[in-house]
Amino acid sequence: MIHPLATRSHGTAAALSLATALSLAAALSLAIVALASASQALAAQPAGHASGMGGSAEGLFVAEIVLLLLVGRGLGEIFQRYGQPAIMGQLIGGILLGPSLFGWLWPGAQHLIFSTDPAQKSMIDAVSQLGILLLLLLTGMETDLRLVRRVGAACFSISITGVVLPFACGFALAQVLPDTLLPEPSERIVAGLFLGTALSISSVKIVAMVVREMNFMRRNLGQVIVSSAIIEDTIGWLIIAVTFGIATNGSLQVLPLVLTVAEVALFMVFSFTIGRRLVFTLIRWSNDSFRSEYAVITVILIIMGVMALITNLIGVHTVLGAFVAGILVGESPILSDHIEGQLRGVITALFMPVFFGMAGLSADLTVLADPTLALLTLALVAIASIGKFSGAFLGGRLAGMSLKESTAVGSAMNARGSTEVIVASIGLSMNILSHNLFTMIVTMAVITTLAMPPMLRWALGRLPVGDTEKQRVDRELLDERGFVSKLERLLLLVDDSPVGKFTAYLAGLVGGGSGMPTTLLHLEDGKLSGPARDKGPERASKQVKRGAARSARAVRKAEDTPVDKVHLTARTELEATTETIAAEARKGYGLLLVGLDNALAEGTFSGTLNAITSGFDGPLCLVLNGAKADGKMPMLRAGATILVPVNGTEVARRAADFALALARPHRARVKVLYVSQARKGSRPSSVSHRREEAVLKDVADLADRYGVAVDTAIRTRATPDRAIAREAAKGAAMVVMGVTQRPGDELFFGDTASAVLTAAACPVVLLASDRVRRTEATAEEAAAETGA
C-alpha cells in the first residue's frame, strides 16, 4: 500500500518541476523578444556608432552568443529535469532559433541576428569550429581505455557488429537517395561513408549518463555498454579521418586511400607510445614549473592544437587529433580532478551550447512539410534504429549474453546525440551533405536519442543482480568511500634519518599500487639537499621505489590489474621554507607525508615541523618515533601487526584505510581497536553497542576489500591513550591514528595523541585532517580522543 503522504509529495514535486519548466520557458521567450528588439535597434545604428561595442557587427556577434547560451542552457536544464540529456536541449534550442520556429514566427529578427553575411557568419562559425575541437578533446578525456581492457572481449563483439550492420545500412541508403538530397550526386560513395558513420556511432556521453543514473556503472553489463560505446566512438573517428582523406582527393582512389590509412595508423602508434610520454611530461612540467594561473589548461589546449594540426597535415580532419589528445590528457597521472573540472567548465558553459546551437540553426524542419522528405526522414529513423539495435543485439548474443542483456545493449547503443551532429556538421561544411539531408540526420539523432533513455531504463530494470556481481559492486562502493583510492598525488618531505627512510618506503607502499605521482623533497639542515652535496635524495628515492614495487606486485596479484611504475620526481633545487612548501602544495597534492628526525621536542612538535606543515592546507601524514622507542624502524613483514584506534569519525576511518594500504603488500595484520566512552561500571546501551559493532564491521568490510587479515577489539575500562598504549605494547609494529588538527599556529592533535606519543615504544603515524577542518571540526571529533 502506498502512503497518501508519499503520493502527495510525489505529486507536489512533479508540480514544482512542471512549474519550474514553464517559468524557464516563459523567461526564455521574453529574453528572446528583448534580445531581438535590442539587436534590431543595434543594427539600425550606423557602423561605428557609439554603441559601446565598436559597431553593429560585434554587437550582433555578442547577441548571437547570448541567445545561443540563454536558449541552449535553459532548454538543456528543462530537458535534464525530465531525464533527458542536456545536449538535446541545446540542439533543439538551436533548431527553435533557426528557420524552424523563430525564422517562421519573426523572419526579420531571425535573419537580422543570425545573418547570412559571410563576414558576420564567419565570426560565430569560428567559435563553433573551435567548439568541435574542444568537444572532441573532452570526449577523449572521458574515454576510459582501462575500462575497455578490464571488461574483455564482449564489448569488442558488440562494437564490431554494432558498427558494421548500421554502417552498411547507411552506406546502402546513400546509394538510392534522390539526387536532390546530394550536392554532388556523383560522389555517393563519400556521402555513403558519412551517412554510414552517422548511423553507426553511439554517443558515449549520453549512454554513460543513463547507465550512471540507473546505478549500473559498476554492474558488469553497464561496463560492457559503456566500453562498447567507447570503442564505437574511436572506430567512428578513425572512419571519419579516412573519409575526410577520400573527400579531399575528390574520389575513391586506391593509392591515396592506402596512404591515408597508413598515415593514420602511424599517427596512432606514435600517439600511444612516444606521444603519451610527451604529453605526460609536458603536463607535469607545466604544473610543477609555472607560477601563473591555469598554466596546465593552456598546455592542454596547445597539445590539442598541435595534434589537430598534425592530423590536418596528413590529410585527415582535425577532430581525430583533438580526440586522441583528449585520450592522452585523460590518462595523464598528473591530471587532477580540479584541473579537469576547470577545463570541463569552460567547454560545457560556452562552447558546447554554441556548437550544438549552431548545428540546430543549420537544420530547417519546415522542409519536412514535403511529404517525400518526411517519409524519407521516417525511413532514415527506422533504418538507423533497426540497424543499430540489431547489430548491438547480435553482438551481445554472439558474446554469450542472455536475451534480456542483449536487449539492454541494443537499447543503449541506439543513442546518437552529439557524435552524429558533429559528423553531419563536418559533412555539411565539406559540401558532401545537403542542408535537407543534414536536417534529416539531425532529426534522426534527436528522435533516437530522446527515445533511448526510457528504453534503456526499462531494459535495465528487468535485469537482476547476481551474488558474485553484488559482492564486487559492494567492494567498489567501499572504494568510493576510501581515502587512499581517492589520492591523486603525494608530496613527500624526509631527511636521511631512519624515520625519513621509513617514511619514504611507506609513501611507496601507498602510491605504488596505482602508480601515483610522488614528489620527493629531501631536507638537510633546513634546506633541500642538492645532488652535489649528498646522496640523500637518491637514497630516499630508492626507498620510495622499493615500496612502490612491493605495492604494485600486491595489487597485480590480488586484482590482476596492470600497474604503471611510480612517477617519482625529486626536487633538489628549492629551499625548504614555509613559502616553498606552500608553493609546492598549491600544485595539487592530496597528502603531505613528513618523516624527520627529532620532530618531537619535550612533548611538542619541533619548530621546523611546525614551520613546514603550516604551508600545507591538505591532509598531513606524520611518521614519528614514540618517546620510548629505540629509534629503529620496524620491518613490515607477514604476520606483523599494525594497530589502528577507531571511534566512528571520518578521520579514524581514513587512518584504517591508510593502515590497510600499508599492510596489503606485506600481508601484515591490522588490529582495529575501539575504546568505548562508557563510564566505568556502567553497562553500554544497546544503541552504543550497535554503533561500535557497525564501526568495526565497516573497517572489516574495508579490510576484506584489501584482502588483509583484521582483528577487532573493544575496550571499555581504560582511557583511550592507556588502552592504545597497552595494545601497542603487545607487539604492534606501528600505530596508525586518525587525528584532527586543532586551531592555532602550532601543531596540536589533542591530549590522546600527545599521550600516545609519550607512551609508545614503536613508531606512530598520525594521519591528520586538513587545515580547513581545523576550524570546522565537529564537537564529536574534538571530544572523541580515540581517533582524534
Side-chain angles (χ1 to χ4, degrees):
M1 179 178 178
I2 300 176
H3 197 280
L5 184 59
T7 304
R8 192 180 306 122
S9 300
H10 180 73
T12 303
L16 287 173
S17 182
L18 179 60
T20 303
L22 292 174
S23 301
L24 278 171
L28 287 175
S29 301
L30 291 173
I32 291 172
V33 173
L35 274 172
S37 302
S39 299
Q40 281 188 318
L42 180 66
Q45 297 176 357
H49 190 278
S51 59
M53 299 185 215
S56 61
E58 292 81 358
L60 288 177
F61 170 71
V62 173
E64 291 171 341
I65 294 290
V66 171
L67 263 182
L68 291 172
L69 292 178
L70 184 66
V71 176
R73 296 296 291 184
L75 285 180
E77 180 70 20
I78 294 174
F79 271 64
Q80 196 158 357
R81 287 174 182 265
Y82 286 93
Q84 293 289 348
I87 291 174
M88 286 297 99
Q90 297 166 11
L91 178 61
I92 293 176
I95 293 174
L96 298 181
L97 287 175
S100 303
L101 182 65
F102 188 27
W104 178 62
L105 293 175
W106 196 354
Q110 201 275 338
H111 293 154
L112 175 66
I113 297 176
F114 299 101
S115 173
T116 57
D117 177 67
Q120 183 72 46
K121 195 171 184 298
S122 64
M123 297 172 69
I124 192 70
D125 281 344
V127 179
S128 179
Q129 292 302 312
L130 180 59
I132 292 179
L133 295 182
L134 291 173
L135 280 172
L136 266 296
L137 175 71
L138 186 60
T139 302
M141 290 173 63
E142 294 173 343
T143 300
D144 189 354
L145 297 182
R146 292 171 297 182
L147 178 62
V148 175
R149 291 193 291 264
R150 184 165 66 245
V151 168
C155 53
F156 289 96
S157 172
I158 294 168
S159 302
I160 292 172
T161 56
V163 168
V164 170
L165 190 56
F167 184 88
C169 292
F171 187 84
L173 179 62
Q175 310 312 310
V176 297
L177 285 175
D179 290 348
T180 55
L181 288 178
L182 298 175
E184 297 292 337
S186 60
E187 296 184 4
R188 288 183 179 272
I189 292 180
V190 179
L193 293 174
F194 268 96
L195 189 57
T197 305
L199 266 61
S200 60
I201 310 178
S202 300
S203 175
V204 177
K205 185 183 294 293
I206 294 172
V207 170
M209 180 202 74
V210 179
V211 171
R212 187 179 295 110
E213 175 195 311
M214 293 290 293
N215 292 323
F216 259 74
M217 190 58 81
R218 291 190 178 87
R219 294 278 299 272
N220 295 337
L221 184 62
Q223 294 186 356
V224 168
I225 288 173
V226 175
S227 299
S228 301
I230 289 172
I231 295 175
E232 287 186 6
D233 217 39
T234 305
I235 293 173
W237 294 118
L238 291 174
I239 294 174
I240 284 298
V242 175
T243 303
F244 185 86
I246 295 173
T248 303
N249 293 324
S251 61
L252 180 60
Q253 301 176 13
V254 177
L255 186 60
L257 176 60
V258 172
L259 182 61
T260 299
V261 172
E263 288 173 337
V264 170
L266 185 62
F267 169 75
M268 297 297 288
V269 171
F270 171 82
S271 298
F272 288 99
T273 53
I274 300 174
R276 174 188 270 120
R277 296 178 183 176
L278 286 175
V279 169
F280 291 1
T281 302
L282 284 172
I283 292 178
R284 182 166 198 158
W285 170 75
S286 62
N287 186 74
D288 291 350
S289 303
F290 284 79
R291 296 184 179 181
S292 55
E293 293 184 328
Y294 310 117
V296 177
I297 303 295
T298 301
V299 170
I300 290 173
L301 294 176
I302 292 172
I303 291 171
M304 178 203 73
V306 170
M307 297 191 73
L309 285 173
I310 292 174
T311 54
N312 185 66
L313 289 174
I314 64 176
V316 298
H317 203 278
T318 53
V319 293
L320 179 63
F323 178 67
V324 174
I327 294 177
L328 299 183
V329 169
E331 288 188 338
S332 172
I334 204 67
L335 188 70
S336 65
D337 289 339
H338 179 63
I339 295 173
E340 186 176 352
Q342 291 173 341
L343 185 60
R344 184 186 304 274
V346 68
I347 296 174
T348 304
L350 174 61
F351 291 99
M352 191 178 291
V354 170
F355 167 72
F356 285 110
M358 289 299 295
L361 279 168
S362 300
D364 184 3
L365 297 186
T366 59
V367 301
L368 299 183
D370 184 343
T372 302
L373 287 178
L375 289 174
L376 284 173
T377 302
L378 290 176
L380 178 64
V381 172
I383 291 172
S385 301
I386 295 172
K388 189 64 181 178
F389 180 89
S390 301
F393 180 87
L394 177 62
R397 296 296 285 169
L398 291 175
M401 292 184 174
S402 66
L403 187 64
K404 291 182 178 179
E405 290 174 333
S406 299
T407 301
V409 170
S411 301
M413 294 296 105
N414 210 24
R416 273 37 178 242
S418 57
T419 308
E420 274 60 29
V421 175
I422 294 174
V423 172
S425 298
I426 294 172
L428 181 65
S429 66
M430 296 178 63
N431 201 37
I432 294 172
L433 304 178
S434 66
H435 275 85
N436 287 348
L437 185 54
F438 174 82
T439 298
M440 293 166 59
I441 294 175
V442 169
T443 304
M444 177 271 296
V446 170
I447 293 175
T448 56
T449 302
L450 295 180
M452 177 272 211
M455 286 177 58
L456 183 57
R457 292 187 187 102
W458 169 79
L460 293 180
R462 302 167 63 223
L463 294 172
V465 57
D467 293 337
T468 303
E469 186 177 12
K470 185 177 186 303
Q471 291 175 2
R472 181 183 61 79
V473 171
D474 289 343
R475 287 198 302 269
E476 292 182 357
L477 285 172
L478 279 174
D479 284 347
E480 190 176 76
R481 294 182 56 209
F483 173 67
V484 174
S485 61
K486 290 183 179 179
L487 291 176
E488 296 176 330
R489 198 178 184 197
L490 301 180
L491 180 59
L492 176 63
L493 179 62
V494 297
D495 58 15
D496 209 25
S497 66
V499 70
K501 295 177 182 177
F502 184 64
T503 305
Y505 181 67
L506 296 184
L509 293 179
V510 172
S514 57
M516 195 180 301
T518 301
T519 298
L520 168 64
L521 307 179
H522 187 266
L523 196 68
E524 179 70 23
D525 297 330
K527 294 184 179 180
L528 293 182
S529 56
R533 290 203 295 268
D534 71 351
K535 295 292 184 179
E538 182 180 344
R539 287 191 288 266
S541 298
K542 288 181 179 179
Q543 293 295 327
V544 175
K545 293 175 181 178
R546 279 185 55 222
R550 183 123 198 172
S551 182
R553 286 195 298 268
V555 171
R556 281 194 294 265
K557 184 177 180 180
E559 303 180 6
D560 193 26
T561 302
V563 180
D564 294 333
K565 65 180 181 179
V566 64
H567 301 273
L568 180 63
T569 300
R571 302 293 300 274
T572 59
E573 74 280 6
L574 300 176
E575 291 186 353
T577 64
T578 302
E579 291 75 18
T580 56
I581 296 296
E584 189 70 27
R586 284 194 293 270
K587 296 171 183 176
Y589 294 94
L591 182 66
L592 169 62
L593 294 96
V594 182
L596 302 177
D597 197 16
N598 300 321
L600 291 172
E602 298 181 358
T604 61
F605 296 103
S606 66
T608 300
L609 186 63
N610 272 287
I612 288 173
T613 57
S614 65
F616 189 79
D617 291 332
L620 300 174
C621 178
L622 307 180
V623 182
L624 305 161
N625 242 331
K628 294 184 178 181
D630 58 5
K632 295 181 179 179
M633 291 297 105
M635 293 293 294
L636 289 179
R637 55 169 63 93
T641 299
I642 300 176
L643 178 64
V644 184
V646 297
N647 60 358
T649 59
E650 182 60 29
V651 290
R653 192 181 191 278
R654 283 184 179 185
D657 190 5
F658 193 80
L660 292 168
L662 298 178
R664 175 167 60 175
H666 292 275
R667 299 190 302 278
R669 301 183 68 86
V670 171
K671 185 164 188 177
V672 184
L673 174 66
Y674 191 107
V675 182
S676 176
Q677 298 298 303
R679 293 183 180 179
K680 186 174 181 180
S682 64
R683 298 183 60 183
S685 65
S686 58
V687 175
S688 63
H689 184 69
R690 285 198 301 269
R691 181 177 182 273
E692 293 161 2
E693 292 290 341
V695 170
L696 294 177
K697 183 181 183 303
D698 178 53
V699 178
D701 291 341
L702 191 60
D704 182 62
R705 173 69 185 100
Y706 276 98
V708 173
V710 65
D711 300 318
T712 60
I714 299 177
R715 298 290 181 262
T716 58
R717 297 188 176 182
T719 58
D721 56 299
R722 291 181 180 178
I724 296 169
R726 288 175 185 172
E727 290 296 330
K730 295 178 181 179
M734 59 192 298
V735 178
V736 179
M737 294 180 62
V739 294
T740 300
Q741 295 192 54
R742 302 295 198 264
D745 296 331
E746 295 186 355
L747 286 177
F748 181 62
F749 305 109
D751 294 331
T752 297
S754 299
V756 170
L757 286 171
T758 301
C762 63
V764 178
V765 176
L766 299 182
L767 190 64
S769 60
D770 51 79
R771 285 177 58 86
V772 174
R773 296 188 61 193
R774 292 177 72 170
T775 56
E776 297 175 356
T778 62
E780 177 186 10
E781 288 180 331
E785 286 292 324
T786 306

